[in-house]
């Protein structure tokens, strides 16, 4: 296929043999490059997919067969899933985690959006300093803010509540940083045109900027959601109960009396991954689409 | 209504003065073109009027009202951007209707006006497309549509044709002229293309380095450029500019340079001074025979042809005259070849003189009420003057 694409039609006159040679050689080289590229990509994706496959494969074995290493689980069984359902309130845990992750990512998106808009659409005194301060928070390790945040939550009476997990995470430098980069390359003429057309800056943000930043916003949402979903340490610190969020609930399966409950763990993790896949499927359509610059020139 | 007055408008960026004390009075219904080379501050000036940037000094008045500090939305001006700045996520119809929706116009009214504008600009079949599905010319028309739908007091246009190919540009120029006649609104139009400026403008404002160099009708600006800068900007090729000297010899005022002799008028009382002699390429022609260069003779430039260029209907020749390169053009064929010696001449009315130091035009006026033949006769020299703002040399003979 690649050969066919690159082989130029030989000119009517001139040196047909030389032209054919040249075309043949480039064709072969292109083919080789494509093959190597595809090989590397295939190996990488296999390395990524296999653990996930193994998790679901193990979860679908019969509970007494979880140590079986055959590549395909047979006969299939939902025993591990019913078991998880019996041992921990997995439905409520996932729902809680979902709510926490959703609120955190929406909060971070909003803060990032407004801050990035302010940093790009206006020039004001102390701008660079403020921006550096924002970026700086990224460099501060979690361990430094952990204890002050904890004491603050204690005083506010938010320990052991989902709000305690959410509130300290509502702003993130990552969101501000990433969105500012995207807005900086946003065509200024579009903002100016909207101002000439009589829009307020608030309305410009929602009617011009956001619709054209759908791709980066979707990508950022996925990252923020997964971050929040995977966060283990902070929820573990704030919520000292196992029946709160799924990260902590799964821990209960690890430390059973007879050692880790591998079947239950795989089934529980398998369930915990589903919302992430869902979010990804929902948003990746936007990641691929939308091209801001296409309206210019 | 749409009279725009600029009063000493200035914009500084640190040490750079992008716009330097520009004052202009643009009458209602005028098509004023801001013309100048890249970086001379045209866009900055337009954005100051639009309110997209705030001036460092000076005022902007719209119909007598001071709008220097009014936000763009309150100015009732519409702008067409060089990049068109169409909203990529909206269809053509929604792009055009965008300013009306911002003003909370009822839906049905928006639809009606969008259809009107689309019909005027022949955009009807494209209303449901997105900007990326349009050609350059179509995008340009959508941008114009978005501007005219508001029926603003004035249009601001920043090089709206510069992204179009030559043919489309010509067609769109004609369309702009028609649109301006139909709508009768004030247009402030930025371009660096002199053809656009000369063909569209009711008046041209020439900018150089942030300053207003000359303001006048296309004819005035072309025929009596106020400075060396304007003379060297307009025309293709632009006016030939040669360093020369005005001197009095044998009772005649003459302009002299290497291989150049121009006899102006009889007299003695003009102070010798350094000037720039300007002659447009199309005003030069070959001297039939080597006439006498004596008193009252035709202006004469001697040189050697360096290259001849075919321009289609005309030919343009470059000749080395003294140390300078002189262009002249005429109907094809000129009958010249590289290396050939030539003598060029021109009518005395087509001689422009500029002060060497200030670059400003020196008014030298042959008495205009005499017939041409009379003026060229040796005995009846017309009254003439050579003056600028500082020194005035007046002379009258006969
Ligand atoms: N935001 C800015 N900061 C600093 N200097 C600026 C800024 N905007 C414009 N300038 C300077 O002001 C001068 C005029 O710029 P302007 O864009 O008005 O030129 P222009 O005449 O529109 O040129 P062009 O024909 O290339 O569009 C330039 O020297 C430019 O470098
Ligand atoms: Mg410009």
């Amino acid at each position: 296929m690649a050969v066919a694409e690159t082989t130029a039609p030989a000119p009517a006159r001139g040196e047909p043999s030389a032209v054919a040679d040249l075309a043949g050689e480039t064709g072969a080289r292109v083919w080789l490059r494509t093959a190597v590229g595809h090989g590397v990509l295939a190996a990488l994706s296999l390395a990524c997919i296999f653990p996930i496959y193994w998790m679901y494969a193990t979860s679908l074995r019969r509970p007494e067969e979880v140590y079986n290493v055959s590549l395909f689980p047979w006969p299939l069984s939902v025993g591990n899933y019913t078991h998880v359902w019996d041992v921990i309130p997995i439905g409520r845990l996932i729902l809680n985690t979902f709510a926490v992750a959703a609120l955190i990512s929406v909060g971070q998106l909003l803060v990032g959006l407004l801050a990035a808009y302010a940093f790009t659409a206006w020039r004001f005194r102390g701008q660079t300093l403020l921006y550096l301060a924002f970026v700086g928070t990224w460099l501060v390790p979690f361990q430094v803010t952990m204890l002050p945040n904890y004491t603050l939550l204690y005083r506010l009476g938010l320990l052991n509540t989902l709000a305690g997990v959410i509130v300290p995470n509502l702003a993130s430098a990552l969101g501000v940083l990433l969105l500012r980069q995207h807005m900086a390359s946003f065509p200024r003429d579009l903002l100016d045109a909207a101002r000439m057309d009589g829009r307020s800056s608030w309305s410009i943000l929602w009617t011009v900027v956001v619709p054209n930043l759908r791709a980066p916003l979707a990508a950022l949402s996925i990252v923020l959601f997964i971050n929040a979903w995977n966060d283990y340490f902070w929820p573990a610190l704030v919520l000292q109960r196992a029946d709160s969020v799924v990260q902590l609930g799964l821990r209960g399966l690890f430390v059973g009396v007879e050692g880790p409950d591998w079947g239950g763990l795989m089934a529980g993790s398998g369930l915990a991954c589903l919302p992430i896949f869902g979010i990804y499927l929902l948003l990746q359509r936007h990641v691929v689409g939308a091209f801001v610059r296409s309206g210019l020139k | 209504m749409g009279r725009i007055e600029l009063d000493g408008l200035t914009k500084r960026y640190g040490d750079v003065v992008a716009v330097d004390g520009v004052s202009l009075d643009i009458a209602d219904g005028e098509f004023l073109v801001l013309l100048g080379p890249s970086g001379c501050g045209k866009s900055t000036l337009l954005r100051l009027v639009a309110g997209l940037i705030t001036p460092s000094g000076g005022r902007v008045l719209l119909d007598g009202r001071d709008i220097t500090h009014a936000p763009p939305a309150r100015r009732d001006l519409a702008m067409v951007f060089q990049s068109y700045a169409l909203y990529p996520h909206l269809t053509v119809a929604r792009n055009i209707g965008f300013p009306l929706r911002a003003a909370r116009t009822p839906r049905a009214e928006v639809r009606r006006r969008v259809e009107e504008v689309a019909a005027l600009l022949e955009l009807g079949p494209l209303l449901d497309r997105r900007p990326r599905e349009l050609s350059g010319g179509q995008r340009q028309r959508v941008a114009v549509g978005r501007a005219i739908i508001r029926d603003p007091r004035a249009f601001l246009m920043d090089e709206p044709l510069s992204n179009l190919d030559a043919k489309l540009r010509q067609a769109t120029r004609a369309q702009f002229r028609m649109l301006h006649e139909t709508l009768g609104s004030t247009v402030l139009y930025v371009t660096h293309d002199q053809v656009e400026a000369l063909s569209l403008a009711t008046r041209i404002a020439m900018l150089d380095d942030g300053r207003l160099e000359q303001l006048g009708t296309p004819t005035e600006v072309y025929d009596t450029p106020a400075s060396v800068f304007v003379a060297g900007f307009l025309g293709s090729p632009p006016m030939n500019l040669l360093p020369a000297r005005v001197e009095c010899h044998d009772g005649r005022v003459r302009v002299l340079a290497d291989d150049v002799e121009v006899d102006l008028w009889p007299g003695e009382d003009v102070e010798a001074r350094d000037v720039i002699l300007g002659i447009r390429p199309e005003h030069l022609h070959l001297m039939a025979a080597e006439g006498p260069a004596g008193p009252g003779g035709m202006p004469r430039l001697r040189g050697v042809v360096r290259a001849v260029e075919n321009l289609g209907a005309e030919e343009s020749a470059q000749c080395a005259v003294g140390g300078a390169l002189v262009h002249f053009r005429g109907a094809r064929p000129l009958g010249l070849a590289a290396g050939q010696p030539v003598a060029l001449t021109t009518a005395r009315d087509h001689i422009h003189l500029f002060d060497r130091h200030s670059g400003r035009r020196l008014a030298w006026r042959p008495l205009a009420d005499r017939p041409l033949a009379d003026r060229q006769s040796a005995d009846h020299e017309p009254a003439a003057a050579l003056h600028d703002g500082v020194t005035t040399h007046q002379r009258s003979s006969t």
Side-chain angles (χ1 to χ4, degrees):
Chain A
M1 183 188 81
V3 178
E5 275 172 13
T6 48
T7 308
R13 263 177 279 178
E15 292 149 303
S17 67
V19 171
D21 271 4
L22 197 69
E25 198 193 279
T26 22
R29 215 189 288 160
V30 167
W31 185 87
L32 189 70
R33 204 183 305 155
T34 316
V36 170
H38 283 180
V40 169
L41 288 178
L44 282 177
S45 41
L46 202 66
C48 291
I49 290 172
F50 186 74
I52 297 170
Y53 169 73
W54 198 249
M55 175 178 76
Y56 282 110
T58 307
S59 73
L60 288 170
R61 292 176 211 280
R62 279 183 298 181
E64 55 274 24
E65 278 179 13
V66 285
Y67 292 108
N68 190 334
V69 289
S70 66
L71 210 51
F72 302 104
W74 199 259
L76 292 178
S77 146
V78 289
N80 286 320
Y81 287 90
T82 49
H83 170 65
V84 168
W85 210 269
D86 292 338
V87 180
I88 54 173
I90 185 84
R92 183 154 61 83
L93 294 185
I94 289 183
L95 209 65
N96 278 351
T97 307
F98 190 85
V100 168
L103 285 172
I104 289 179
S105 41
V106 166
Q108 295 190 350
L109 267 184
L110 271 180
V111 169
L113 196 61
L114 295 175
Y117 188 48
F119 277 125
T120 41
W122 285 276
R123 297 276 153 273
F124 52 89
R125 211 179 287 270
Q127 188 168 29
T128 318
L129 203 67
L130 199 61
Y131 182 62
L132 287 180
F134 252 104
V135 177
T137 62
W138 212 17
L139 304 177
V140 178
F142 170 70
Q143 286 79 356
V144 175
T145 53
M146 178 177 79
L147 284 179
N149 274 347
Y150 186 85
T151 17
L152 198 62
L153 285 189
Y154 170 73
R155 289 213 206 128
L156 294 173
L158 290 178
L159 281 185
N160 260 320
T161 63
L162 291 182
V165 182
I166 298 168
V167 173
N169 280 317
L170 280 180
S172 84
L174 175 68
V176 180
L177 212 78
L178 198 103
L179 288 176
R180 197 193 93 120
Q181 287 312 316
H182 278 282
M183 283 193 199
S185 62
F186 193 85
R188 257 207 102 75
D189 274 359
L190 276 186
L191 302 182
D192 286 343
R195 284 174 72 196
M196 291 303 294
D197 286 344
R199 298 268 164 158
S200 65
S201 58
W202 177 254
S203 141
I204 290 174
L205 174 65
W206 296 107
T207 58
V208 177
V209 178
V210 169
N212 286 305
L213 285 185
R214 265 189 307 213
L217 283 173
L220 184 62
S221 316
I222 293 177
V223 171
L224 293 179
F225 188 86
I226 292 177
N227 269 353
W229 186 272
N230 287 345
D231 192 15
Y232 178 82
F233 200 77
W234 182 246
L237 205 65
V238 176
L239 308 165
Q240 286 130 352
R241 297 165 297 142
D243 62 344
S244 45
V245 290
V246 75
Q247 301 95 304
L248 304 182
L250 289 179
R251 186 175 54 176
L253 297 172
F254 245 123
V255 292
V257 215
E258 306 133 35
D261 170 5
W262 286 116
L265 208 53
M266 291 300 145
S269 310
L271 288 174
C273 286
L274 289 180
I276 299 272
F277 295 150
I279 290 277
Y280 189 78
L281 285 180
L282 195 74
L283 292 180
Q284 61 101 25
R285 194 167 51 89
H286 297 287
V287 177
V288 179
F291 235 98
V292 168
R293 302 206 80 93
S294 58
L296 296 163
K297 299 234 160 149
Chain B
M1 281 301 286
R3 175 180 179 205
I4 302 172
E5 288 160 277
L6 311 184
D7 178 16
L9 208 54
T10 300
K11 179 67 185 179
R12 271 181 232 100
Y13 290 110
D15 290 341
V16 182
V17 187
V19 172
D20 193 357
V22 170
S23 298
L24 271 176
D25 187 348
I26 306 158
D28 182 41
E30 193 164 9
F31 198 121
L32 188 112
V33 174
L34 293 171
L35 179 63
S38 188
C40 70
K42 308 180 295 289
S43 297
T44 308
L45 184 56
L46 199 72
R47 279 161 186 271
L48 286 172
V49 176
L52 293 171
I53 47 181
T54 43
S56 319
R59 294 188 310 154
V60 182
L61 289 95
L62 180 62
D63 291 329
R65 188 167 57 97
D66 190 336
I67 55 163
T68 315
H69 298 287
R74 299 257 192 77
R75 297 192 176 200
D76 199 13
L77 302 169
M79 185 147 167
V80 178
F81 291 79
Q82 180 177 0
S83 62
Y84 309 147
L86 302 180
Y87 308 112
H89 61 296
L90 298 179
T91 60
V92 168
R94 292 180 70 81
N95 258 290
I96 296 178
F98 194 86
L100 291 188
R101 287 199 306 280
R104 307 209 181 284
T105 315
R107 230 168 244 261
E109 161 96 0
V110 173
R111 188 156 350 109
R112 191 180 58 74
R113 299 261 294 273
V114 167
E115 270 160 20
E116 262 174 39
V117 168
L120 185 67
L121 296 170
E122 292 162 28
L123 286 169
L126 307 175
L127 282 178
D128 293 324
R129 298 221 201 145
R130 309 230 166 214
R132 66 171 161 275
E133 297 156 354
L134 300 178
S135 73
Q138 292 164 340
R139 284 177 203 185
Q140 198 273 340
R141 275 183 284 151
V142 176
V144 171
R146 191 175 64 187
I148 61 182
I149 197 167
R150 278 171 48 190
D151 193 16
R153 281 175 197 249
F155 294 100
L156 310 175
M157 304 196 177
D158 194 350
E159 312 207 19
L161 303 186
S162 62
N163 288 327
L164 303 181
D165 65 53
K167 205 166 165 196
L168 199 52
R169 209 180 294 183
Q170 195 173 4
T172 316
R173 266 205 321 262
Q175 201 182 25
F176 271 4
R177 203 174 306 118
M178 238 169 55
L179 214 57
H180 179 238
E181 277 162 20
T182 320
L183 302 173
S185 353
T186 314
V187 180
L188 184 53
Y189 185 104
V190 163
T191 183
H192 61 253
D193 180 348
Q194 47 169 316
V195 181
E196 254 168 61
L198 292 169
S199 67
L200 283 173
T202 54
R203 276 196 304 166
I204 294 177
M206 283 287 311
L207 288 183
D208 179 28
D209 208 6
R211 276 185 311 273
L212 186 61
E213 278 282 317
Q214 187 171 6
L215 177 67
T217 64
T219 318
E220 284 166 2
V221 175
Y222 191 85
D223 291 347
T224 50
S227 67
V228 170
F229 168 79
V230 179
F233 191 85
L234 291 175
S236 60
M239 187 182 283
N240 294 301
L241 297 165
L242 306 167
R245 212 175 146 68
V246 173
E247 284 172 12
C248 299
H249 277 299
D250 313 324
R252 314 281 307 176
V253 179
R254 318 168 89 180
V255 184
L256 299 172
D258 286 350
D259 291 333
V260 177
E261 255 186 279
V262 178
D263 187 291
L264 290 181
W265 62 82
E268 288 283 349
D269 58 348
V270 173
E271 264 175 53
R273 64 190 293 170
D274 286 337
V275 295
I276 302 273
L277 168 69
I279 308 171
R280 290 219 174 268
E282 65 270 29
H283 291 150
L284 281 170
H285 37 92
L286 289 169
M287 229 165 174
E290 279 282 291
M298 299 281 283
R300 189 173 68 189
L301 293 81
R302 279 177 210 267
V304 177
V305 177
R306 278 288 158 79
V308 181
E309 220 180 328
N310 185 343
L311 303 177
E314 292 189 318
E315 258 178 358
S316 150
Q318 292 162 34
C319 311
V321 173
L325 208 56
V326 167
H327 293 258
F328 88 100
R329 56 191 286 182
R332 198 160 59 93
L334 286 172
L336 291 177
Q340 194 179 331
V342 283
L344 301 171
T345 187
T346 186
R348 228 158 302 181
D349 309 23
H350 290 147
I351 299 284
H352 303 260
L353 293 176
F354 304 93
D355 183 76
R356 180 95 65 92
H357 304 291
S358 68
R360 306 303 298 179
R361 180 184 191 81
L362 298 171
W364 86 270
R365 293 179 318 219
L367 214 59
D369 53 3
R370 303 249 178 149
L372 196 67
D374 201 27
R375 260 190 272 161
Q376 281 175 348
S377 80
D379 294 327
H380 298 283
E381 284 296 340
L386 183 62
H387 62 83
D388 53 20
V390 193
T391 44
T392 306
H393 305 267
Q394 282 283 352
R395 189 206 132 85
S396 55
S397 72
T398 359

